[in-house]
Amino acid sequence: MLKSKTFVKKTRSGGIMKIVREHYLRDDIWCGSEVCTECKQEETVLQKDTYIESNLCSFPHYLLPDTNIVLSQIDILEDPLIKNVIILQTVLQEVRHRSAPIYKRLKDILHDKEKHFYTFTNEHHRETYIEREQGESANDRNDRAIRISTKWYSDHLNNTPTDKRLKVVLLTNDRGNKEKAEESGLLTYRCEEYVKSLIANPELVDRLALTNDDKNEITSSKVLFPEHLPLSRIQSGIKSGTFQQGTFRASRDNYLEATVFVHGEGDDSTEVLIQGLQNLNRAVHQDLVAVEILPLNQWVAPSSVVLQDEGPKEDDVTEEEEEAELKSGPSGAASRKPTGRVVGIIKRNWRPFCGMLFLSQIKEATRHLFTPADRRIPRIRIETRQAATLAGQRIMVAVDGWPKHSRYPNGHFVRSLGSAGDKETETEVLLLEHDVPHQDFSQAVLSFLPKMPWNITEEDMAVREDLRNLTVCSVDPPGCTDIDDALHCRDLPNGNQEVGVHIADVSHFIRPGNAMDLEAANRGTTVYLTGRRIDMVPELLSSNLCSLRSSVERLAFSCIWEINDKAEIVKTRFTKSVINSKASLTYAEAQMRIDDANMNDDTTKSLRGLNRLAKILKKRRIEKGALTLSSPEVRFHIDSETHDPIDLQTKELKETNSMVEEFMLLANISVAQKIYDEFSECALLRKHPAPPPSNYDILNKAAKSKDMVIHTDSAKALADSLDAAQVDGFPYFNTLLRILATRCMMQAVYFCSGMDSDFHHYGLASPIYTHFTSPIRRYSDIIVHRLLAVAIGADSTYPDLMDKHKQSALCNNLNYRHKMAQYAQRASVAYHTQLFFKSRGILNEEGFILFVRKNAIIVLIPKFGLEGTVFFENKDKPSPKLIFNEEAPSLTVEGHSFNMFDKVKVTISLDASNVQHQKIRMSLVEPVISGVSVAPSEPEPEVKRAKLDR
Amino acid sequence: MAGLELLSDQGYRLDGRKAAELRKVQARMGVFAQADGSAYIEQGNTKALAVVYGPHEVRGSRSKTLHDRAVINCQYSMATFSTAERKRRPHGDRKSTEMSLHLKQTFEAAVLTNLYPRSQIDIYVKILQSDGGNYSACVNAATLAVVDAGIPMRDYVCACTAGFVDETPLADLCHAEESGGGTSLALALLPRGGHIALLQMDARLHQDHLETLMEAAMTACKGVSKVLDEVVRQHLQEVSALTGE
């Protein structure tokens, strides 16, 4: 083995330093090709026969893309058609420096055995390493390194027997590089050239990203946007304080408005308002941008107008009108917010977007606008020849760039998801848009499942406490198959009571570090959509082996307390156990047993004991200041055959719900304390920060409109004043207020105890909290189980469990997944609500005004838990006279004033005019305002009704 | 810019070595005529010079004298030009003092001190250029210097560092790898008997990994010992050729 040394010099910012590093060159780096006879490689990646039919290269060949091809055309490389590609180390490193997401995708391809991608470590190869020459830029040097390696490969593969000879094709879009490569006799093509030459697969052309060369033909020469500043100026601007750096968040309701969330020192962070197309300056939702704050006299207030981009405009006049309208908004000095403009993009955060094609009016056109499902994303212009087939389908599109003279960003087609309106497709879109991993479990994951038939072994029994004789039962919602908790309660001889919470022992089946564990950690949570469940762990575990079903022996992790008559905990212990649940009940069944005085079996007695203690626990918790909040939740009755929703009802809470909840909370708190005592640095806990006072503004205003005062200085005060807020003859008022209060709250998050000092859970009024009770559907609970198992000596630790940085990275992923799962759930409910109203036709319902906007009111229908917007402006009709009072807040329409909590009657229908954004449309019925309200709709035809009521 | 990728998927480290490979080791003995023993070693870009005086009578305060064995006195220093930024104090700072102590402990375990009661052996080591693994370079240089001085030892003391990245132990860390975070373990070994003269680790490491890491460090030390042995034999040949024996 030859080792030779060269020196690489490097300077770093902040004082120039000379850094000397060793660089070993080797002669044992192989070419990775099957045909090669010289290299002594053990494994080959590149295949002997490689067939990609192409007009340009009729011979077998390997591809060798340069860095820019990888960065811009990763979609092409990901296509299953493209195989046998050589990725140079130089390319890999450049990609790593320039784009983390693409680097990740490239790595995924490299790991995929089917793709036959080979990484050639050319920088350490004796014959392909080159030194940077005098006056040569780093980029030029890398280009040269790529050429040298291509040359080496061509020569190297020429040494093989003639009949098997292969060629190497360099793909580059850089003109200079291409010329130089051709000079030295290499086969070189531009990516477009090459992809277009592929005979069998014309549709691959659509996946080509538009590069700079094509740009001039696609847009007019009119410059629409100011130039973005170069990164160096942005950085110096941020340093000197003239610019702020923050995350760009487009407004859902108004495409001409956005906020930039500027992260300040520590906790203090501000929001900068951006208004108008020019100021938004091509930033896309979630980008990291630099903004410049405008002078104070140009500050504006956020408009309360709801404005949607209505597609390509004939001219810019309408747009300017809209902008003008936007700016003429209320400009009370108090409501003005820091306003700025985007001067540059620090990091794009583009992902492939789901949506639909908006066909161009010209039939033969190949350029079309694409409308993303997410309203915060602008339309994207793509080029495709399959427009006719893609119309009416849900498709995915990736963004390539946004030139300064184009109204819309340019992108390219990635793949089709299925026809729009189809339930499968819509669910797929929903899952993709919320980044929910929902593929079937891979074989690697399934291979870690226990072999069936599965039994509890002698060894299991030896290390576990035998609790099979206890009267354990589970109480869950109807239809629940993943039962992860069960309870028991019995009297002890000393007069105290023993209460046990038994949680499915998932960590027994999912061992740290294996494929199943990694998959579960990535998924983070089970996602419950209406009519579908996306499991975190394979079904065999979630619905069978881990599920604590009745009359079978199951492994459990038990938390057992001795509790005295006043529901004070005397003793707590944790143990791994074996249980045999005597009954799995629904909330309603359990309630019936408790209420039925004739039933006196052990299970019922145990339930009564639990219920009694739970009431005391709950009372004490509320005294301490725990909040009871409310959100309008609905549940669908799904037709068993068509899976269409046939009815919906709001969730009903029984005493037993709160009984189970109470003990789960108790278990979570006990476990949190235990693992924190044991592992102060790496315990996984959950906190709920207190919201900043400004969050309560809307609640205060709302209460004031009914002459009430809500105290928000502490959780306890808030809970008390919410309890006191009652209006005679308006029982739903309190619920409405609680719904509002819920929206003021912060998100509860997981965190690692070593990385944070504030543990308080605001909503539960508990100084410490974690999640222990649902390991089947939450990964956080699995980690907590593992920590607790170590704490009681039932299991051993493993390195990642004790590493607070890894733990905290895991928490970030879990928080993200939980948030996304929640959004996906809401979106699923919304979609099914639409389906429901589609089948129901037009309905008239009573509702309450939840918010008042400048040109609309938002109405909540308690019966369906449905929220909708009633617009007072209509494109076709002259707008009514609107007066908006921001202080109250109230909106006066033609003399009738709408306040929060007003009762209104609306008619609900489904607006299917836009297939992509089907929405529930509400129009006002009562109070009657001429020219604004509509006549109540006719009852539906009898036939239809009969069918539905079946 | 993303941080450094210490170990690529293909199994190559920053400088092109594989996980278990050492850097290039070059050494010379008898570089100074004045001293009783001296040696110079290069481990990659880490360069160290060691000088040994003694055994001689105890100098300075007599109270240090031990009646059954020799006193070993070590002094470690770094040249001001050894690192990328100039060092202010070449020796006497806390790190150097600690390093001197470690060297002293290492050689007390290796040198047959009981052969020289009431005497003193001085070992001076200086890092001329630093690129990770300073301790091991010093130990290896000092071993050669002690051999050069003709002081009997139980065995060569060979030292090497090992680190842990992506579940893989890396042998003989360079500066970039040492400062890239993660664990670094320094091991001084008497290779023939497999006795450990010194083991030092500052960062946290899970117990499960310790064994593999120790294994890697031991293999690396044995690799070093082969090189040192060769150097000694080579030197011996040269010297005997000169003296005409």
Side-chain angles (χ1 to χ4, degrees):
Chain A
M1 194 177 302
L2 173 121
K3 280 180 184 174
S4 104
K5 283 195 291 188
T6 55
F7 294 107
V8 181
K9 288 166 197 167
K10 203 179 152 196
T11 55
R12 279 189 187 161
S13 58
I16 292 189
M17 232 190 327
K18 184 170 157 194
I19 291 183
V20 183
R21 281 204 194 130
E22 279 181 292
H23 195 95
Y24 289 96
L25 300 185
R26 323 178 58 110
D27 53 8
D28 64 345
I29 296 174
W30 316 124
C31 70
S33 168
E34 240 174 359
V35 292
C36 180
T37 47
E38 277 175 30
C39 293
K40 300 176 203 64
Q41 48 209 350
E42 284 159 13
E43 268 181 68
T44 53
V45 179
L46 301 167
Q47 288 168 303
K48 194 154 47 188
D49 11 60
T50 137
Y51 292 116
I52 305 180
E53 277 187 73
S54 157
N55 287 331
L56 286 172
C57 328
S58 49
F59 38 81
H61 56 275
Y62 295 144
L63 293 175
L64 199 153
D66 79 352
T67 314
N68 283 321
I69 298 283
V70 174
L71 285 174
S72 57
Q73 308 290 4
I74 187 82
D75 280 327
I76 294 279
L77 293 177
E78 272 177 351
D79 194 280
L81 185 75
I82 305 288
K83 286 181 181 173
N84 292 301
V85 177
I86 301 160
I87 300 290
L88 297 180
Q89 186 195 11
T90 318
V91 173
L92 197 62
Q93 276 172 353
E94 270 193 293
V95 170
R96 185 167 184 268
H97 284 301
R98 301 220 343 231
S99 166
I102 294 194
Y103 178 69
K104 167 84 179 43
R105 286 165 73 181
L106 185 59
K107 278 215 149 180
D108 287 345
I109 307 178
L110 287 169
H111 285 301
D112 186 353
K113 289 224 161 52
E114 289 296 302
K115 293 283 284 171
H116 299 282
F117 272 51
Y118 179 68
T119 319
F120 181 63
T121 314
N122 64 318
E123 297 285 357
H124 290 289
H125 193 284
R126 190 167 54 160
E127 287 163 39
T128 55
Y129 174 74
I130 53 161
E131 257 180 279
R132 190 161 148 189
E133 280 164 3
Q134 200 85 49
E136 193 177 32
S137 78
N139 270 331
D140 289 344
R141 184 242 163 233
N142 285 343
D143 282 346
R144 192 159 61 89
I146 292 169
R147 287 198 301 274
I148 298 276
S149 301
T150 318
K151 182 85 186 142
W152 180 85
Y153 251 105
S154 311
D155 295 347
H156 182 77
L157 293 175
N158 255 336
N159 295 337
T160 53
T162 345
D163 56 317
K164 285 192 275 179
R165 199 159 286 174
L166 280 158
K167 293 198 175 170
V168 177
V169 175
L170 175 66
L171 290 183
T172 177
N173 281 352
D174 184 276
R175 204 163 294 144
N177 194 12
K178 191 171 178 240
E179 274 163 21
K180 279 185 192 146
E182 276 163 355
E183 261 169 44
S184 48
L186 299 173
L187 266 177
T188 317
Y189 294 114
R190 281 160 30 97
C191 191
E192 285 84 342
E193 267 180 320
Y194 180 77
V195 171
K196 281 177 187 160
S197 79
L198 298 178
I199 302 160
N201 298 73
E203 73 275 6
L204 206 57
V205 177
D206 285 350
R207 301 184 61 168
L208 267 176
L210 298 168
T211 49
N212 297 343
D213 292 3
D214 312 331
K215 186 175 62 187
N216 31 15
E217 36 176 319
I218 207 163
T219 49
S220 62
S221 52
K222 192 176 157 197
V223 175
L224 285 169
F225 296 102
E227 189 89 59
H228 285 155
L229 295 179
L231 204 58
S232 54
R233 287 219 15 225
I234 293 175
Q235 270 160 352
S236 61
I238 289 170
K239 228 173 225 170
S240 66
T242 43
F243 301 149
Q244 310 280 326
Q245 171 183 336
T247 321
F248 184 87
R249 289 187 189 159
S251 156
R252 213 181 273 277
D253 298 329
N254 186 337
Y255 77 102
L256 289 173
E257 196 174 274
T259 48
V260 171
F261 198 74
V262 177
H263 314 279
E265 301 279 309
D267 288 336
D268 112 84
S269 46
T270 48
E271 279 189 351
V272 179
L273 187 73
I274 318 273
Q275 262 188 2
L277 218 48
Q278 294 274 314
N279 291 343
L280 295 173
N281 200 359
R282 291 172 279 158
V284 177
H285 186 63
Q286 289 292 342
D287 283 350
L288 193 62
V289 298
V291 290
E292 183 186 32
I293 310 275
L294 294 172
L296 201 64
N297 56 6
Q298 289 180 35
W299 285 15
V300 289
S303 74
S304 348
V305 188
V306 178
L307 209 58
Q308 280 163 30
D309 192 356
E310 295 294 350
K313 303 266 161 47
E314 280 77 55
D315 46 57
D316 295 326
V317 182
T318 34
E319 216 145 74
E320 274 153 24
E321 272 171 14
E322 275 173 7
E323 287 209 43
E325 182 188 357
L326 196 74
K327 279 174 185 146
S328 65
S331 31
S335 59
R336 286 184 180 191
K337 281 197 167 175
T339 310
R341 64 185 187 94
V342 174
V343 292
I345 310 281
I346 298 166
K347 195 170 156 281
R348 288 288 190 187
N349 221 340
W350 290 336
R351 60 188 170 90
F353 299 109
C354 295
M356 286 184 72
L357 209 58
F358 185 89
L359 287 187
S360 160
Q361 271 98 344
I362 310 160
K363 218 173 99 199
E364 290 79 22
T366 54
R367 295 195 183 108
H368 303 275
L369 275 184
F370 160 85
T371 315
D374 189 341
R375 271 208 295 272
R376 290 168 297 193
I377 309 294
R379 285 151 187 259
I380 301 164
R381 184 182 284 117
I382 67 164
E383 194 175 337
T384 175
R385 282 171 192 78
Q386 327 167 48
T389 25
L390 293 183
Q393 288 195 357
R394 291 277 189 175
I395 58 170
M396 262 176 116
V397 161
V399 192
D400 300 324
W402 196 340
K404 61 172 182 275
H405 37 256
S406 163
R407 170 69 179 78
Y408 297 108
N410 296 328
H412 64 273
F413 167 71
V414 178
R415 70 186 173 102
S416 166
L417 302 169
S419 58
D422 188 39
K423 201 172 325 159
E424 291 291 308
T425 314
E426 296 301 327
T427 313
E428 178 84 14
V429 169
L430 203 145
L431 292 172
L432 278 171
E433 276 296 294
H434 295 96
D435 197 11
V436 176
H438 59 281
Q439 303 81 5
D440 290 340
F441 288 99
S442 67
Q443 275 310 314
V445 172
L446 296 177
S447 69
F448 286 99
L449 285 176
K451 299 277 168 295
M452 292 300 281
W454 173 86
N455 280 313
I456 296 174
T457 60
E458 289 292 316
E459 294 122 59
D460 290 336
M461 291 304 291
V463 294
R464 285 168 186 272
E465 203 167 322
D466 187 355
L467 301 177
R468 284 176 293 185
N469 54 339
L470 290 179
T471 326
V472 175
C473 68
S474 64
V475 186
D476 284 285
C480 177
T481 59
D482 49 350
I483 304 170
D484 37 24
D485 49 82
L487 298 155
H488 89 266
C489 172
R490 64 171 178 185
D491 296 330
L492 290 178
N494 63 2
N496 286 345
Q497 275 179 316
E498 182 193 80
V499 175
V501 167
H502 311 275
I503 307 296
D505 193 5
V506 183
S507 61
H508 173 85
F509 296 99
I510 301 184
R511 302 308 299 166
N514 70 23
M516 191 153 69
D517 181 50
L518 298 179
E519 181 68 30
N522 180 40
R523 295 192 176 208
T525 173
T526 294
V527 183
Y528 295 88
L529 303 182
T530 309
R532 185 170 167 196
R533 187 176 83 196
I534 291 114
D535 275 324
M536 181 181 81
V537 295
E539 195 176 1
L540 177 68
L541 290 183
S542 67
S543 305
N544 187 357
L545 297 186
C546 290
S547 181
L548 302 176
R549 298 186 298 183
S550 57
S551 322
V552 281
E553 288 176 6
R554 287 286 175 252
L555 302 180
F557 208 146
S558 303
C559 173
I560 298 168
W561 300 279
E562 189 180 328
I563 293 182
N564 67 13
D565 235 20
K566 296 187 200 102
E568 284 158 347
I569 297 170
V570 182
K571 213 171 82 186
T572 312
R573 76 192 171 92
F574 306 97
T575 176
K576 291 236 174 181
S577 62
V578 179
I579 61 160
N580 188 345
S581 171
K582 300 292 175 286
S584 34
L585 308 171
T586 64
Y587 290 121
E589 282 168 1
Q591 189 66 52
M592 253 157 54
R593 279 185 184 234
I594 292 172
D595 296 342
D596 189 349
N598 295 330
M599 293 189 74
N600 272 313
D601 54 305
D602 280 352
T603 312
T604 312
K605 274 191 208 150
S606 159
L607 282 172
R608 286 197 188 117
L610 288 168
N611 199 25
R612 192 183 62 80
L613 290 171
K615 279 182 187 161
I616 309 175
L617 285 170
K618 181 165 188 183
K619 191 160 152 264
R620 190 176 310 146
R621 210 162 52 79
I622 286 174
E623 273 166 16
K624 270 203 250 161
L627 297 174
T628 327
L629 298 173
S630 174
S631 60
E633 272 191 89
V634 286
R635 182 170 278 276
F636 286 95
H637 286 260
I638 302 279
D639 188 303
S640 57
E641 277 158 32
T642 60
H643 297 284
D644 284 332
I646 45 179
D647 196 7
L648 36 60
Q649 67 176 111
T650 41
K651 265 188 194 166
E652 214 180 322
L653 290 180
K654 295 200 165 60
E655 224 175 35
T656 42
N657 286 52
S658 96
M659 172 188 92
V660 173
E661 188 193 341
E662 228 34 72
F663 284 103
M664 294 306 132
L665 292 177
L666 195 64
N668 285 336
I669 293 170
S670 298
V671 171
Q673 194 58 51
K674 174 78 180 172
I675 59 172
Y676 178 63
D677 289 347
E678 203 77 16
F679 305 103
S680 58
E681 280 293 292
C682 57
L684 190 151
L685 302 176
R686 189 169 172 84
K687 69 169 175 182
H688 182 206
S694 62
N695 274 23
Y696 288 120
D697 284 353
I698 188 76
L699 186 67
N700 284 330
K701 276 184 190 171
K704 218 184 273 168
S705 70
K706 293 281 177 212
D707 294 326
M708 271 171 215
V709 183
I710 301 286
H711 298 281
T712 53
D713 19 310
S714 73
K716 171 85 177 131
L718 178 64
D720 288 346
S721 43
L722 279 178
D723 286 339
Q726 302 284 357
V727 174
D728 289 333
F730 189 4
Y732 200 66
F733 172 74
N734 193 268
T735 316
L736 278 174
L737 213 53
R738 284 183 200 273
I739 291 172
L740 279 181
T742 312
R743 305 212 172 157
C744 303
M745 292 297 146
M746 306 281 281
Q747 278 273 342
V749 288
Y750 296 110
F751 67 102
C752 172
S753 60
M755 308 292 275
D756 210 324
S757 54
D758 174 29
F759 295 176
H760 195 74
H761 197 293
Y762 181 79
L764 297 173
S766 167
I768 190 163
Y769 192 67
T770 192
H771 271 164
F772 167 73
T773 52
S774 303
I776 300 180
R777 59 185 179 88
R778 288 190 304 235
Y779 189 74
S780 49
D781 302 50
I782 296 186
I783 293 289
V784 171
H785 273 230
R786 287 180 185 157
L787 285 166
L788 185 66
V790 175
I792 61 167
D795 208 340
S796 58
T797 66
Y798 60 99
D800 287 1
L801 191 66
M802 298 292 121
D803 186 328
K804 65 177 178 181
H805 297 285
K806 288 202 176 140
Q807 197 83 279
S808 139
L810 178 71
C811 288
N812 288 341
N813 180 49
L814 294 182
N815 288 331
Y816 171 73
R817 294 289 186 208
H818 274 271
K819 196 172 73 192
M820 281 325 203
Q822 253 175 26
Y823 291 162
Q825 273 152 23
R826 273 183 225 158
S828 172
V829 168
Y831 175 66
H832 280 84
T833 314
Q834 287 167 14
L835 282 187
F836 175 72
F837 283 106
K838 197 173 175 182
S839 61
R840 274 305 174 87
I842 296 166
L843 286 177
N844 296 318
E845 283 300 337
E846 271 185 2
F848 300 99
I849 300 181
L850 205 54
F851 297 105
V852 181
R853 294 266 186 267
K854 196 175 146 198
N855 60 349
I857 50 174
I858 293 168
V859 177
L860 178 85
I861 315 268
K863 187 173 165 194
F864 302 121
L866 176 74
E867 226 178 287
T869 314
V870 178
F871 289 96
F872 291 118
E873 276 168 336
N874 209 320
K875 278 238 158 1
D876 324 324
K877 284 190 283 184
S879 336
K881 196 165 165 261
L882 300 176
I883 301 159
F884 180 57
N885 177 358
E886 209 164 352
E887 286 309 301
S890 73
L891 180 69
T892 314
V893 183
E894 297 285 336
H896 183 92
S897 123
F898 290 95
N899 286 307
M900 285 174 96
F901 304 127
D902 283 359
K903 194 185 225 175
V904 289
K905 203 167 196 179
V906 291
T907 152
I908 310 166
S909 62
L910 184 73
D911 178 3
S913 57
N914 181 348
V915 196
Q916 172 136 282
H917 295 294
Q918 291 197 345
K919 51 193 166 201
I920 304 285
R921 200 213 319 249
M922 290 190 185
S923 332
L924 197 64
V925 177
E926 263 170 50
V928 180
I929 304 170
S930 66
V932 176
S933 61
V934 296
S937 60
E938 293 297 310
E940 292 150 50
E942 277 304 305
V943 195
K944 203 170 176 188
R945 183 159 269 182
K947 194 179 148 212
L948 281 163
D949 289 344
R950 119 190 100 118
Chain B
M1 197 185 89
L4 292 169
E5 189 183 37
L6 294 179
L7 189 68
S8 76
D9 283 346
Q10 291 72 45
Y12 296 108
R13 289 156 68 175
L14 285 176
D15 49 11
R17 285 184 288 156
K18 292 200 170 168
E21 286 172 355
L22 301 176
R23 291 178 288 183
K24 191 172 174 67
V25 184
Q26 282 180 308
R28 261 175 66 202
M29 291 167 70
V31 285
F32 298 126
Q34 190 70 54
D36 293 318
S38 61
Y40 168 75
I41 197 167
E42 286 182 8
Q43 283 183 270
N45 280 332
T46 304
K47 297 171 185 182
L49 196 60
V51 178
V52 170
Y53 292 94
H56 53 76
E57 65 195 35
V58 178
R59 295 200 186 115
S61 64
R62 295 264 158 194
S63 57
K64 277 195 296 187
T65 317
L66 298 171
H67 292 277
D68 54 342
R69 57 194 164 96
V71 177
I72 291 187
N73 172 36
C74 283
Q75 202 182 75
Y76 166 90
S77 63
M78 281 176 92
T80 47
F81 49 81
S82 62
T83 48
E85 271 176 288
R86 303 286 160 278
K87 275 186 84 73
R88 294 247 172 74
R89 266 176 93 177
H91 62 88
D93 57 338
R94 253 180 83 167
K95 236 170 88 186
S96 302
T97 319
E98 191 191 348
M99 195 70 101
S100 305
L101 191 71
H102 286 158
L103 286 171
K104 183 179 152 110
Q105 286 167 347
T106 312
F107 281 93
E108 270 170 359
V111 174
L112 295 170
T113 45
N114 51 352
L115 296 180
Y116 307 102
R118 285 183 294 278
S119 44
Q120 176 181 352
I121 300 168
D122 294 321
I123 302 174
Y124 299 105
V125 278
K126 193 167 188 95
I127 292 288
L128 301 178
Q129 186 172 307
S130 158
D131 185 28
N134 291 350
Y135 168 76
S136 22
C138 289
V139 171
N140 297 335
T143 303
L144 293 179
V146 171
V147 171
D148 189 39
I151 300 169
M153 283 203 289
R154 290 186 175 82
D155 192 357
Y156 294 106
V157 208
C158 302
C160 198
T161 53
F164 204 75
V165 170
D166 291 343
E167 316 285 299
T168 322
L170 305 181
D172 196 9
L173 304 181
C174 70
H175 178 69
E177 289 167 334
E178 261 183 2
S179 51
T183 322
S184 161
L185 171 140
L187 173 74
L189 190 75
L190 304 176
R192 241 165 294 180
H195 298 292
I196 292 173
L198 187 116
L199 178 71
Q200 190 208 358
M201 182 169 69
D202 290 333
R204 279 165 65 110
L205 180 78
H206 196 270
Q207 195 182 341
D208 293 3
H209 294 321
L210 186 64
E211 205 164 315
T212 50
L213 191 58
M214 287 277 288
E215 199 82 21
M218 284 211 188
T219 323
C221 287
K222 282 174 189 160
V224 172
S225 89
K226 265 189 213 142
V227 180
L228 296 190
D229 193 50
E230 238 163 70
V231 170
V232 172
R233 283 174 201 279
Q234 181 80 31
H235 180 70
L236 214 61
Q237 260 174 9
E238 281 167 18
V239 173
S240 50
L242 283 176
T243 50
E245 280 168 30

